[in-house]
Amino acid sequence: MPKVAHYNAHNPEEEVQYVEEGRRLYDQAIPDHQVSVIQGKKRMHLRDEIFNKYDFKKRSIDVSKLTAYENKDKIINSIEGNRVVIIDGFTGCGKTTQVPQLIIDRAAELRNVIVTQPRKVAAVSVARRVCEERCWELGTVVGYQVDMDKRVSKEDTLVTYMTTGVLLRKLTGCKTFKEWTHIIVDEVHERDLDTDLLLLLIKKILIEDKLGKERNVKLILMSATIEDVFLDHLISSPLSMCKLRLCKFFARNNRNHA
């Protein structure tokens, strides 16, 4: 225990001393690389528990003809190899429903994926659609959160569809991505106020991440139409200094296979 207990700290100097001593003792007890190994093993164990609890092979419909599913290897390789991925796919290619599923199906460790939608109805309907496709009960492996209405499981939910405003409020409060492994911002071409503020906040957090604490979080932007000027604004020189790589996936080039 630190020499100065928190309840005995009566001024800012003692508070700082308490925090510094606590951090030093923690660092001495468990080195960072060992913490990463322990956390990785825990995520693998939890992932195995969920995959044993739910059927991840059963599907009620055939999605093999969807362009997003046809290009699943290209999508996953792009996400695994880059911090930021832009998926530019035509309406109906399956990106909104399939990309989150590809992430959790291919993952060796536990994943916590957030998918934003600009409208409440879209967030709820897409979450329900994915659950119907995979024969899962809504609010188990896949759930949603819109305003005060939330159907998720703290133990089992791997993908949460939510409105852009909900994620914006979450990030405004915590200013970190540690709670999630993947953040998917869908329909970015609509450029409403919440979406623009969300992207600016995400960019700010990434720029200020000088120590690389957020390096394991993937940012995925999806749109049916996205302008190069908008991309230049998002991935500007400050983010380039953080060594972020931009990978475009043009699903529309494969439209004839849908």
Side-chain angles (χ1 to χ4, degrees):
M1 288 292 294
K3 296 179 180 179
V4 181
H6 186 269
Y7 49 81
N8 286 332
H10 301 291
N11 55 58
E13 290 75 15
E14 290 180 342
E15 286 282 358
V16 172
Q17 181 182 358
Y18 169 79
V19 172
E20 289 180 349
E21 289 186 0
R23 184 182 294 111
R24 177 177 53 80
L25 292 175
Y26 179 82
D27 292 340
Q28 291 176 352
I30 306 179
D32 289 341
H33 68 281
Q34 292 185 15
V35 172
S36 300
V37 172
I38 294 172
Q39 291 176 343
K41 290 182 178 179
K42 182 178 180 180
R43 288 193 296 267
M44 291 176 65
H45 175 69
L46 294 175
R47 185 260 191 194
D48 291 340
E49 286 186 350
I50 295 175
F51 270 64
N52 291 331
K53 185 176 181 180
Y54 299 96
D55 189 350
F56 276 73
K57 295 181 179 180
K58 186 177 180 180
R59 290 181 184 267
S60 62
I61 60 175
D62 182 14
V63 299
S64 61
K65 298 300 181 181
L66 289 175
T67 305
Y69 190 83
E70 286 182 337
N71 291 271
K72 58 182 180 295
D73 292 332
K74 185 174 182 178
I75 294 175
I76 291 300
N77 291 336
S78 298
I79 294 174
E80 290 179 348
N82 299 277
R83 289 281 303 278
V84 179
V85 177
I86 306 295
I87 299 181
D88 185 357
F90 64 93
T91 301
C93 71
K95 58 186 181 297
T96 303
T97 59
Q98 299 306 310
V99 171
Q101 294 185 63
L102 294 174
I103 292 173
I104 62 174
D105 286 343
R106 296 288 191 92
E109 298 180 357
L110 192 67
R111 293 290 183 251
N112 190 354
V113 183
I114 293 295
V115 188
T116 68
Q117 294 292 315
R119 288 171 291 278
K120 301 176 184 179
V121 175
V124 177
S125 61
V126 174
R128 182 175 288 111
R129 165 68 184 229
V130 173
C131 289
E132 290 175 353
E133 176 187 326
R134 302 299 293 267
C135 303
W136 296 326
E137 182 181 349
L138 182 62
T140 55
V141 179
V142 175
Y144 70 82
Q145 181 177 357
V146 293
D147 291 336
M148 301 302 293
D149 184 12
K150 179 168 64 173
R151 289 193 63 177
V152 296
S153 168
K154 185 177 180 181
E155 294 79 19
D156 299 339
T157 300
L158 303 180
V159 178
T160 304
Y161 288 86
M162 63 177 59
T163 53
T164 309
V166 170
L167 180 57
L168 180 60
R169 289 193 293 273
K170 287 178 176 291
L171 283 178
T172 302
C174 65
K175 295 182 177 61
T176 179
F177 301 139
K178 291 181 179 179
E179 186 176 347
W180 312 289
T181 59
H182 296 73
I183 297 178
I184 302 176
V185 183
D186 198 7
E187 307 293 351
V188 293
H189 63 278
E190 294 202 0
R191 301 296 307 279
D192 59 357
L193 180 59
D194 281 347
T195 301
D196 280 0
L197 289 176
L198 175 63
L199 293 176
L200 287 173
L201 182 57
I202 290 175
K203 178 179 177 179
K204 182 176 184 293
I205 294 174
L206 290 175
I207 291 175
E208 294 178 350
D209 182 31
K210 300 182 184 302
L211 300 178
K213 294 181 179 180
E214 315 284 359
R215 61 183 178 275
N216 293 324
V217 180
K218 306 291 187 177
L219 173 61
I220 304 161
L221 307 181
M222 302 198 302
S223 172
T225 56
I226 191 164
E227 301 174 359
D228 291 338
V229 175
F230 172 66
L231 297 182
D232 292 340
H233 172 69
L234 178 67
I235 311 300
S236 57
S237 55
L239 281 183
S240 299
M241 293 172 62
C242 293
K243 299 182 181 180
L244 298 182
R245 298 180 59 194
L246 176 64
C247 175
K248 288 186 181 181
F249 164 63
F250 290 99
R252 65 180 62 191
N253 293 337
N254 303 284
R255 186 183 304 219
N256 56 333
H257 297 296

